[in-house]
Amino acid sequence: MPGLFSTATLQQVRAANDIVDVIGSYVPLKRAGANFVALCPFHKEKTPSFNVNPHLQIFKCFGCHKGGDVFTFVKEYESLEFPEAVRRLAERARIPLEYETGPGERQSRDLKEQLLRLHEQVTQRWQSALANEAAGQVARDYLARRGVSPDAVKLFRLGFAPEAWDDTVNWAKSKGHELGLVETAGLILKKEGGDSYYDRFRGRLMFPICDEQGRVIGFSGRILTGDEKTAKYVNSPETPIFTKSKVFFGLDKSKRALLEAECAIVCEGQLDLIACFMAGVQNVVAPQGTAFTAEHTRILKRYVPEVVLCFDSDEAGQNAAVRALDHLLAAGLAVRVAVMPAPHDPDSLIKFSGGEAFRKLIAQAEGFFDFYLNRLCAANDVTTDKGQLAVLRAMAEAVHKTQNMVLIDKYAQKTALRLGVSPDAVRAEFKKLSPRQSGPAEETPQPEANGPDQPLRTQEFCLLKLLLETEEHVPWVASHLDLNWLTASLVREIVSRRLHLHQSGEWHGLGPFLSSFEDSSSQQVITEILTRPLVTNTDGLRVPRQHALPRPSEQLQSVVTELRNDFVDSQISSLMSIMGNSTIPEEERLEAARRHQTLLRLKRQPLSPVA
């Protein structure tokens, strides 16, 4: 992904975003000598092990081993892909990205910036109307009846759109906004057959909808009167900055809680979410004005491995839970369902029984297939053949979507128990009802060798430190080191790329080098090398050296020689096994003997001194 942006663009964005300033805007940093420390935002700890190095512009946690540059931090903290992390930092520094500099791209970017400014201003306008205007009393009364606290009103920036056909139109004119832009924002509509405009939102409690950065991109307006002919909620239409299927209400405020809880509670409405959040249950999101979509699951997948569906207890709410399954399973998310006791929704349950009761309900939420089996058995008469067949077919269709044979067998047994029939009979029916495989089963992915948790050999650690912290000896390494001498694949890739950049004249420093690696494993190894000193053992105690590289030239020659000799010894060992095996043809054993002598001569040959 780094290739999407030019090196010059990444350099500009990196230079404009000091890592201390950026990380300090997310977590409180405390100076410790030349560096800064904090409690790690990526894992729970009581003693700070998170280190920020302003000189190298990198961070490193010595507890969970995460590390990288400013792009890596934003990418990991915000659960973003690399290009989006670059965009976030470019926006922070007001730097236009290179690929956005064409006329069409500039026009699109300018329009989005205008729409964001407009949405922010109208949010403030409606906040003021709710807080200060006499017409906002109806909304203030409604919020008081619903038990929405002033703190919640302030945190979620609730507002009131006055009951008038032209309030927003006149406000926009007074602020100098082009009405065409306000129409594009979805705030006003043009009258049919004329050039005049009228307000989309009138006499409604306004819920600003924010993107993951907390910028207002749309609105949801709730009616406050009892007019049955009017829709209860009116939402912003899709605009250049707002796509309903890609937005969760409240995600900008709950994303850290999602990461910490490793679980997302999905509820239906804004007031449900606000009630949960203010009751201390903050790992909660709500789809915005649309059904649960594949885009929603992709967003959640960035934050959590598990989802608890907490929809209303009525038929529509329970059906919505069932419809969400396909997308959630496709994303590989574990799914549970919290069944609200009728007639409650999360908001009313919290108001009636308190936050602890809701928290307990979530903790006891059953797995989706247990919920679904209960629902099927309640909806069908399982004492009849027709009812049993309906349950069998529906359960088979649902569990086969997991493609998990253990789960399929587990729920075959549970279904058999509920229907009072033999588990083997249900297994047979499940097998008959199984959809045909469209292709060969996927192989189980193998764990990556030489991951960041596997300690590096001392020689490889030293080699990397010398290559990354010094420049003058890189040519010597390029001419004397055989990459086959490196046993760790990550080290081999890092060294190979470092030498290639030097030889091609494209080495631009540690920052760009670190960003060139998409995988977190390589970045963690590099930051480990840069932040951890070489150590020596003294009477069994590990103590830091006073200087990491006291004699770089001598160390480098010694390290490369040891790497070569270790490689040669392993090759010699293999050749001796061949030479001593009488079952191997004599010609092969003679060739092994010749190679054995060549390797012995190589091992005796000293490497030329480092200049």
Side-chain angles (χ1 to χ4, degrees), residues 16-17 60 120 134 136 153 195 231 234 286 293 317 394 401 423 499 511 563 570 584 604:
N17 286 278
K60 178 68 182 179
E120 175 58 31
V153 171
D195 294 329
V234 168
T293 67
K401 291 174 182 176
L499 297 179
L563 288 170
S570 67
I584 295 178
R604 289 192 293 267

Side-chain angles (χ1 to χ4, degrees), residues 91-162:
E91 289 175 359
R92 180 181 184 273
R94 300 187 178 279
I95 296 173
L97 293 176
E98 191 174 81
Y99 69 91
E100 296 177 332
T101 56
E105 288 81 1
R106 281 199 302 270
Q107 186 177 6
S108 174
R109 190 168 184 266
D110 290 345
L111 174 60
K112 290 179 179 179
E113 289 182 351
Q114 291 178 59
L115 290 173
L116 288 170
R117 284 195 296 269
L118 175 59
H119 277 74
E120 175 58 31
Q121 291 176 19
V122 79
T123 298
Q124 295 177 20
R125 153 70 187 138
W126 285 334
Q127 282 183 287
S128 177
L130 174 63
N132 305 314
E133 295 183 13
Q137 188 63 48
V138 62
R140 293 193 290 272
D141 291 343
Y142 174 82
L143 290 169
R145 288 196 305 273
R146 295 297 299 262
V148 181
S149 68
D151 287 343
V153 171
K154 182 178 180 180
L155 178 64
F156 287 90
R157 306 188 68 187
L158 305 189
F160 174 69

